[in-house]
Amino acid sequence: MANYKIIFTGPVGAGKTTAISVLSDVPMVTTDELASDMTKDRKSQTTVAMDYGIMQLAGDERIHLYGTPGQERFDFMWDILTQGGLGLVLLIDNSRIEPFRDLHFFLDAFKDFIGCTAVSIGITRMDEKSTPTISDYQRELSALGWSTLPLLEVDARKKGDVSLLVQSLLYSLDPTLAN
Ligand SMILES: Nc1nc2c(ncn2[C@@H]2O[C@H](COP(=O)(O)OP(=O)(O)O)[C@@H](O)[C@H]2O)c(=O)[nH]1
Ligand SMILES: [Mg+2]
């Protein structure tokens, strides 16, 4: 049996828990607990440890999906979570005040991992706030020297959207993987 591992990251509220739950073929394991700090204004639950789900592919292949804790005070876990990972899915919440800042922060925080694997970027909540646009992100990524990264508008609640994001990650790693 072939087992792969993908890590989902991004700021609190970007849709990591939602994306993993819509993709997972088994009931998702989550460690969401009541938020005890400033994030409680944003939503009533936040991920303090991690999310975990499994995507069953054709044949015996499985992709294990791990979500990082959204809050930066849990960043000590990121190195552990990425070990053995095939690549990273970065979700950016377009409705936050400075989404480009989030983009820079996460690309920088995971640069060592991305450098030896791959990343695909999904911009969420564009239904709530339509700017910056995907073209704006494209320009920003080009300016940062990341012009060839897969970049998609996604709604984390829609399985088709997040599946495409995962497929584009697999495709960028190995065009024969993403069938
Ligand atoms: N309107 C809208 N809501 C979204 C979108 N993606 C996720 N959500 C919602 O945003 C909330 C936070 O998502 P969650 O998965 O908990 O974010 P996490 O903190 O990254 O794990 C949930 O209520 C989701 O249903 C999107 O593209 N548009
Ligand atoms: Mg979460």
Side-chain angles (χ1 to χ4, degrees), residues 17-81:
T17 302
T18 308
I20 292 172
S21 70
V22 300
L23 285 175
S24 186
D25 294 310
V26 301
M28 192 182 92
V29 177
T30 188
T31 48
D32 271 6
E33 285 177 13
L34 289 179
S36 56
D37 57 355
M38 35 79 98
T39 60
K40 73 177 162 224
D41 295 335
R42 188 135 186 96
K43 58 199 202 55
S44 59
Q45 291 201 310
T46 192
T47 307
V48 295
M50 63 173 205
D51 306 311
Y52 171 65
I54 301 172
M55 255 174 100
Q56 190 72 52
L57 304 183
D60 266 349
E61 295 184 331
R62 297 171 134 192
I63 302 181
H64 300 263
L65 311 166
Y66 291 84
T68 64
Q71 292 157 290
E72 287 155 33
R73 64 191 167 87
F74 293 107
D75 64 0
F76 65 90
M77 291 190 60
W78 293 353
D79 275 348
I80 301 168
L81 274 175

Side-chain angles (χ1 to χ4, degrees), residues 8-158:
F8 284 68
T9 196
V12 172
K16 301 176 295 294
T17 302
T18 308
I20 292 172
S21 70
V22 300
L23 285 175
S24 186
D25 294 310
V26 301
M28 192 182 92
V29 177
T30 188
T31 48
D32 271 6
E33 285 177 13
L34 289 179
S36 56
D37 57 355
M38 35 79 98
T39 60
K40 73 177 162 224
D41 295 335
R42 188 135 186 96
K43 58 199 202 55
S44 59
Q45 291 201 310
T46 192
T47 307
V48 295
M50 63 173 205
D51 306 311
Y52 171 65
I54 301 172
M55 255 174 100
Q56 190 72 52
L57 304 183
D60 266 349
E61 295 184 331
R62 297 171 134 192
I63 302 181
H64 300 263
L65 311 166
Y66 291 84
T68 64
Q71 292 157 290
E72 287 155 33
R73 64 191 167 87
F74 293 107
D75 64 0
F76 65 90
M77 291 190 60
W78 293 353
D79 275 348
I80 301 168
L81 274 175
T82 52
Q83 275 171 32
L86 204 61
L88 186 75
V89 172
L90 171 56
L91 296 178
I92 296 293
D93 174 355
N94 211 44
S95 72
R96 281 176 38 113
I97 296 167
E98 292 185 276
F100 283 178
R101 206 180 149 153
D102 296 331
L103 182 73
H104 295 175
F105 174 83
F106 284 95
L107 285 176
D108 185 58
F110 286 91
K111 66 174 185 296
D112 292 344
F113 179 64
I114 296 168
C116 53
T117 60
V119 61
S120 67
I121 303 172
I123 312 301
T124 63
R125 295 176 173 275
M126 293 198 82
D127 55 309
E128 294 178 329
K129 190 164 166 285
S130 56
T131 56
T133 64
I134 291 294
S135 309
D136 295 333
Y137 279 97
Q138 198 72 68
R139 266 190 296 277
E140 189 67 14
L141 286 168
S142 296
L144 294 169
W146 296 101
S147 53
T148 60
L149 300 184
L151 169 70
L152 295 172
E153 171 178 353
V154 300
D155 186 323
R157 300 164 299 181
K158 294 186 181 159

